[in-house]
Amino acid sequence: MRVAVVGAGFSGLAAALELSEVSEVTIFEEHKEVGIPEHCTGIVSKRVYEGLKFAEEAVEGKLEEYFIGTKEGKGIRIKGPKGFTVKFQRKRLEEIMLEVVLSKGAKFINKFVKEVNPKGTVEGERFDRVVIAEGWGAEIAKTLHVAPKPRRVYGINLEIEGKTAFPGSVEVWFDELLAPGFFAWVVMLEGKAVVGTASEPGRANVRKLAEKVLEIAKRRGLVEGEVVKAYGGVIQTGPPSLAPYRGRVAVTGDAAGLNKPLTGGGLYPSLEVAKGYKKFFPKLWRAYHPLVERLYAETYLSRPLHKGNQKFYEKLFNSLDGFEIYLEEYDNHIKVLGKAIRALGIKGTVKALASLPHLFYPL
Ligand SMILES: Cc1cc2nc3c(=O)[nH]c(=O)nc-3n(C[C@H](O)[C@H](O)[C@H](O)COP(=O)(O)OP(=O)(O)OC[C@H]3O[C@@H](n4cnc5c(N)ncnc54)[C@H](O)[C@@H]3O)c2cc1C
């Protein structure tokens, strides 16, 4: 059977990688090369990394400790097993994925696709199945009436070359002024850091906010050095499209709203769906369930953290200050929440819940 994949970002390449084992794959990509424009931090769980082991060369470092709280350092510490999460250099990762896909016999066509028909026609050429992986713009998905309507923020990364205080760890800061509607991050690697933040549209100049985040990270002695690169893009925080398929066409990645709602992470869900495509081929629609339902539920669990005000964040993280949680799970946020509640115990959970009224009454 012949399958067309439209878009060679992470989700299109992941789909092509799995589908080229059960079908003849043709990839359509508007750019001559993959991995551009750069936008993503490239952090994935151990589980996702295991599926991408062939791209070891693109690994920039392992991240085993996360601090989640305020920029002043009040909050909760999450520790994981060795290799709990991994940071990839995204462009290199996609280049390696393309090399592997081509070695499996797939074809790469440098072309911008304008039209896809539910019967499986791509620009007039008939395929047995079509996978749309065109990114957040979801133009083709809209014409098929299967595009998601997720909440979107704009995120930016600053890459810094220099010393970091705790290589292998990440700080995540919830702060209404530094990251309006999302969170800021400081990723510390050996000899390198990635500092970033995001904002809801129209609320702030994200580049300036990222520079403030860097200033604070430097003041706290977390990062030293100069910015060597800046890049960013749209981060989607759910909900996904519940039925991202029509006729012979299936939609994946950002174009289907396949993102972990709390972090916007898109690599895990599109890799899971890609594995499902191979498993259930040619019934591509079976790959989405129950993942999309879970991402849908996680959307509404994540909203208080995204929509919080400063008072809420202060109360929440002051009450959780000093707690340490050991987690093996990173991708399933419902499981993470369950484990966190168990680790915090009744006292910790009640303390955390006591901050909720500040969401509605920021006194
Ligand atoms: C600042 C930032 C940080 C992030 N950090 C992380 C992270 O740490 N971990 C994580 O898991 N996720 C992260 N994400 C999210 C992740 O980057 C996205 O979910 C992921 O890149 C989406 O991949 P995709 O293949 O669906 O879309 P894209 O990467 O946008 O790829 C779409 C591809 O399709 C091509 N295309 C589009 N339309 C057409 C057409 N009509 N014809 C031909 N080609 C077309 C485009 O040129 C592009 O190559 C981050 C995002 C941002 C912005």
Side-chain angles (χ1 to χ4, degrees), residues 244-316:
Y245 38 83
R246 191 158 163 226
R248 291 169 191 257
V249 183
V251 185
T252 187
D254 278 13
L258 292 177
N259 303 90
K260 295 191 287 182
L262 180 61
T263 61
L267 275 49
Y268 155 73
S270 50
L271 191 65
E272 287 299 298
V273 163
K275 285 186 208 154
Y277 286 161
K278 182 171 102 181
K279 183 171 173 198
F280 300 114
F281 189 77
K283 295 176 183 163
L284 301 186
W285 58 272
R286 290 187 64 186
Y288 298 95
H289 307 284
L291 177 70
V292 291
E293 287 80 0
R294 171 157 69 74
L295 296 177
Y296 204 90
E298 286 177 5
T299 300
Y300 297 97
L301 283 175
S302 311
R303 285 292 186 262
L305 274 175
H306 291 147
K307 293 280 182 184
N309 52 60
Q310 204 59 16
K311 190 80 191 169
F312 166 69
Y313 293 141
E314 277 168 20
K315 284 277 169 195
L316 178 67

Side-chain angles (χ1 to χ4, degrees), residues 11-320:
S11 64
L13 290 167
L17 209 59
E18 298 292 334
L19 286 167
S20 56
E21 290 189 10
V22 287
S23 63
E24 206 181 294
V25 173
T26 305
I27 305 169
F28 293 90
E29 166 56 48
E30 63 177 315
H31 296 108
K32 283 201 178 80
E33 52 181 309
V34 294
I36 54 165
E38 240 178 296
H39 56 277
C40 174
T41 321
I43 298 178
V44 297
S45 64
K46 191 174 180 181
R47 179 192 295 132
V48 174
Y49 164 64
E50 300 285 344
L52 300 170
K53 270 252 165 92
F54 58 85
E56 186 72 41
E57 183 203 316
V59 171
E60 291 190 299
K62 308 239 166 117
L63 301 164
E64 282 146 14
E65 192 170 319
Y66 284 72
F67 166 80
I68 300 175
T70 65
K71 61 182 184 300
E72 290 82 20
K74 295 269 180 207
I76 193 163
R77 217 160 272 284
I78 293 175
K79 289 189 178 169
K82 205 168 163 39
F84 174 54
T85 60
V86 169
K87 175 168 171 6
F88 275 106
Q89 207 282 332
R90 267 294 300 275
K91 185 169 191 306
R92 189 65 200 124
L93 170 63
E94 288 179 23
E95 286 166 354
I96 298 172
M97 287 171 88
L98 180 64
E99 282 163 25
V100 177
V101 169
L102 295 179
S103 74
K104 289 185 177 187
K107 265 202 286 182
F108 181 91
I109 298 178
N110 174 213
K111 183 176 188 171
F112 180 79
V113 172
K114 290 198 191 98
E115 207 183 325
V116 174
N117 177 299
K119 289 187 179 147
T121 309
V122 178
E123 304 272 304
E125 190 180 347
R126 190 70 185 262
F127 290 86
D128 297 296
R129 294 289 179 272
V130 181
V131 173
I132 306 293
E134 57 183 334
W136 71 270
E139 295 302 330
I140 298 169
K142 279 181 206 154
T143 67
L144 298 168
H145 307 289
V146 295
K149 289 193 179 111
R151 174 177 173 272
R152 295 187 173 114
V153 294
Y154 187 83
I156 197 159
N157 274 314
L158 302 178
E159 277 194 19
I160 295 104
E161 265 175 23
K163 267 215 238 153
T164 61
F166 308 107
S169 59
V170 178
E171 290 219 356
V172 170
W173 303 338
F174 283 89
D175 187 289
E176 209 183 348
L177 294 177
L178 283 180
F182 203 63
F183 55 80
W185 56 92
V186 180
V187 180
M188 290 173 264
L189 299 163
E190 209 63 73
K192 178 178 181 171
V194 181
V195 168
T197 188
S199 165
E200 280 175 343
R203 280 186 69 182
N205 176 328
V206 195
R207 171 75 200 228
K208 283 200 175 135
L209 291 186
E211 280 161 9
K212 272 193 199 156
V213 175
L214 175 58
E215 203 184 295
I216 298 168
K218 282 186 171 178
R219 205 185 314 135
R220 284 192 40 214
L222 299 175
V223 175
E224 277 176 32
E226 295 310 311
V227 176
V228 290
K229 209 187 303 179
Y231 48 86
V234 167
I235 301 176
Q236 301 193 137
T237 61
S241 170
L242 280 176
Y245 38 83
R246 191 158 163 226
R248 291 169 191 257
V249 183
V251 185
T252 187
D254 278 13
L258 292 177
N259 303 90
K260 295 191 287 182
L262 180 61
T263 61
L267 275 49
Y268 155 73
S270 50
L271 191 65
E272 287 299 298
V273 163
K275 285 186 208 154
Y277 286 161
K278 182 171 102 181
K279 183 171 173 198
F280 300 114
F281 189 77
K283 295 176 183 163
L284 301 186
W285 58 272
R286 290 187 64 186
Y288 298 95
H289 307 284
L291 177 70
V292 291
E293 287 80 0
R294 171 157 69 74
L295 296 177
Y296 204 90
E298 286 177 5
T299 300
Y300 297 97
L301 283 175
S302 311
R303 285 292 186 262
L305 274 175
H306 291 147
K307 293 280 182 184
N309 52 60
Q310 204 59 16
K311 190 80 191 169
F312 166 69
Y313 293 141
E314 277 168 20
K315 284 277 169 195
L316 178 67
F317 293 115
N318 280 336
S319 69
L320 293 178

